[in-house]
C-alpha cells in the first residue's frame, strides 16, 4: 500500500486497533483517521512516511499507542494536549531524518522511544512530561540528550541510553531525583 484515500475508514468508526506497518506509505492525508473515534492503537512502523501533521492525527482522542518507528519523518510536533489527549506510548525510533520533536504538553505520555535518530538536533519536549516512566534514547548525540531538560521527570523507572557519560554531574543529579 502506498497511499490511503481520505474516506477509507469512514465505515470503521468502532475500530480499536489499526496496523498499517510494513507498507510503502509516504504521505498521510489530513484528517485521514478522523472517523476512527474509538481507535486506541495505531501502528505505522516500517513505511516511508516523511511528515505527521497535527491534522493527520487530530480527533484520535482515545489513541493510547502510536508507533511511527522506521520511517523517514523529519519533524514531529504535538504541542497541544487536545490533539492526542490519552497517548501513553510513542515510538519514533529509527527515523533517520528526524531533526525536531515537540510534544511539550502531553502529560499522559508514559513511554517514549527516540532511539537511533542520528540527525535529531532539537527537542523542547520533556519539560512537562510529568508522567513519563520509560525513555529510550539509545544512540543519540550525548550533547543533545543533555539539552533535553529531563530534570522534571521524577517518575522514570526505565532509562535506556548509550554513549552517555553517566559520571557527569548532571546525570548523577537526574538519577538521584528519579529514585
Amino acid at each position: 500500500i502506498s497511499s490511503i484515500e481520505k474516506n477509507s475508514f469512514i465505515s470503521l468508526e468502532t475500530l480499536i486497533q489499526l496496523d498499517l506497518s510494513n507498507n510503502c506509505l509516504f504521505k498521510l492525508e489530513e484528517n485521514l483517521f478522523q472517523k476512527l473515534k474509538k481507535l486506541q492503537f495505531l501502528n505505522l512502523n516500517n513505511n516511508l512516511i516523511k511528515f505527521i501533521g497535527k491534522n493527520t492525527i487530530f480527533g484520535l482522542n482515545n489513541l493510547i499507542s502510536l508507533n511511527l518507528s522506521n520511517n523517514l519523518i523529519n519533524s514531529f510536533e504535538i504541542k497541544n494536549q487536545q490533539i492526542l489527549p490519552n497517548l501513553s506510548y510513542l515510538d519514533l525510533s529509527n527515523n533517520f531524518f528526524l531533526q525536531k520533536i515537540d510534544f511539550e504538553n502531553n502529560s499522559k505520555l508514559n513511554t517514549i522511544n527516540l532511539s537511533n535518530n542520528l540527525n535529531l538536533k532539537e527537542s523542547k519536549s520533556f519539560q512537562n512530561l510529568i508522567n513519563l516512566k520509560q525513555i529510550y534514547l539509545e544512540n543519540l548525540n550525548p550533547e543533545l540528550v543533555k539539552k533535553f531538560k529531563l530534570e522534571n521527570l521524577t517518575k522514570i523507572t526505565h532509562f535506556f541510553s548509550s554513549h552517555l557519560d553517566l559520571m557527569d554531574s548532571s546525570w548523577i543529579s537526574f538519577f538521584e531525583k528519579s529514585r
Side-chain angles (χ1 to χ4, degrees), residues 119-136:
N119 288 315
L120 188 60
K121 292 177 177 62
E122 183 180 346
S123 174
K124 307 173 197 170
S125 305
F126 299 96
Q127 201 163 350
N128 296 320
L129 301 180
I130 56 173
N131 290 309
L132 198 64
K133 293 182 181 171
Q134 298 183 49
I135 188 167
Y136 298 80

Side-chain angles (χ1 to χ4, degrees), residues 115-116 118 135-143 145 159-166 171:
S115 296
N116 301 310
L118 302 178
I135 188 167
Y136 298 80
L137 302 172
E138 297 167 296
N139 297 316
L140 294 183
N141 178 336
E143 293 306 310
V145 174
F159 183 89
F160 299 91
S161 187
S162 55
H163 308 296
L164 296 179
D165 178 9
L166 295 179
W171 288 114

Side-chain angles (χ1 to χ4, degrees), residues 4 24 33 39 50 59 69 103 120 127 135 147-148 161 178:
I4 302 172
C24 295
F33 305 111
L39 192 67
K50 292 182 179 180
S69 63
F103 36 82
L120 188 60
Q127 201 163 350
I135 188 167
K147 296 177 186 176
F148 278 171
S161 187
S178 297

Side-chain angles (χ1 to χ4, degrees), residues 82-112:
Q82 296 171 346
I83 294 174
L84 294 173
N86 290 302
L87 189 68
S88 67
Y89 175 87
L90 176 62
D91 191 341
L92 285 167
S93 64
N94 300 303
N95 277 285
F96 181 75
F97 297 102
L98 185 66
Q99 294 183 25
K100 180 180 179 180
I101 54 171
D102 198 344
F103 36 82
E104 60 189 43
N105 290 320
N106 193 317
S107 62
K108 290 195 177 180
L109 199 59
N110 180 292
T111 302
I112 186 165

Side-chain angles (χ1 to χ4, degrees), residues 30-42:
E30 285 192 9
N31 301 313
L32 177 64
F33 305 111
Q34 186 175 20
K35 297 291 181 184
L36 301 177
K37 301 288 185 199
K38 297 192 182 223
L39 192 67
Q40 294 179 8
F41 303 93
L42 179 56

